[in-house]
Amino acid sequence: MYKMVIVVSLLAVGIVGCSREVEVAASREEPVETQIEFSIYAAKDYSTPEYQQVEASLTLTAGVIDIQTGAFIKKWDTLITRNLVDFPDLEQSITIEKSIPLRINKERLQVAHSIRYNNNGQLSQTANFVTLPSDQVRHLKKIGL
């Protein structure tokens, strides 16, 4: 009986030790490189004179949201400013590709863009953000100005 208790105790310690190693390994999840591609283009024909002086400022942002806390961590952003007539059409869109490390089981990739139009001092602005599916490692975000 005494030998049986020792064997059961050793097995219990071994099982607890193994499960702890699995928990530690899971908490140190290696990030996966996720790709985001921004495709930026003029949403319509801006060649008429009324658009010649309109300036557009596009801000792009990519980051991760911690699933447990909901905290957003910005990983990358940029600002593109030019006259509206200088943005290309869809077929010749500006392409920006970024790679963002993501811990699939702990984080979600979020991308955002905001567009600010300045027409001789008259300002207008739009914004959009989206949390992308975690089961994909490549995403395309089309942005028409």
Side-chain angles (χ1 to χ4, degrees):
M1 180 72 177
Y2 179 69
K3 289 181 182 178
M4 187 67 126
V5 170
I6 291 175
V7 170
V8 170
S9 297
L10 288 174
L11 285 174
V13 168
I15 291 171
V16 170
C18 290
S19 67
R20 180 173 252 172
E21 288 174 14
V22 170
E23 289 173 14
V24 170
S27 68
R28 289 190 230 159
E29 178 184 354
E30 290 296 317
V32 173
E33 291 296 319
T34 55
Q35 303 293 320
I36 179 73
E37 179 181 332
F38 295 95
S39 178
I40 305 157
Y41 60 95
K44 64 180 191 176
D45 181 13
Y46 292 114
S47 61
T48 59
E50 65 189 281
Y51 295 111
Q52 295 300 315
Q53 299 301 315
V54 178
E55 183 181 81
S57 297
L58 172 65
T59 302
L60 303 173
T61 305
V64 296
I65 296 177
D66 185 298
I67 293 172
Q68 291 180 335
T69 66
F72 176 77
I73 301 166
K74 185 181 347 178
K75 298 289 186 171
W76 172 83
D77 69 346
T78 192
L79 173 66
I80 301 169
T81 301
R82 57 175 65 176
N83 284 341
L84 195 54
V85 297
D86 294 334
F87 282 94
D89 60 13
L90 180 60
E91 292 79 29
Q92 298 164 350
S93 63
I94 299 168
T95 301
I96 299 174
E97 292 185 39
K98 285 296 164 190
S99 178
I100 307 291
L102 181 70
R103 295 177 301 159
I104 298 293
N105 294 322
K106 296 185 180 285
E107 299 171 325
R108 295 291 178 261
L109 180 62
Q110 187 175 71
V111 295
H113 74 271
S114 67
I115 306 167
R116 185 176 143 231
Y117 300 98
N118 183 347
N119 186 2
N120 292 321
Q122 185 177 12
L123 302 176
S124 63
Q125 186 165 339
T126 64
N128 175 277
F129 72 93
V130 62
T131 302
L132 301 171
S134 60
D135 60 343
Q136 299 174 7
V137 293
R138 185 154 180 81
H139 306 276
L140 173 63
K141 178 81 170 146
K142 291 185 176 186
I143 303 168
L145 294 119

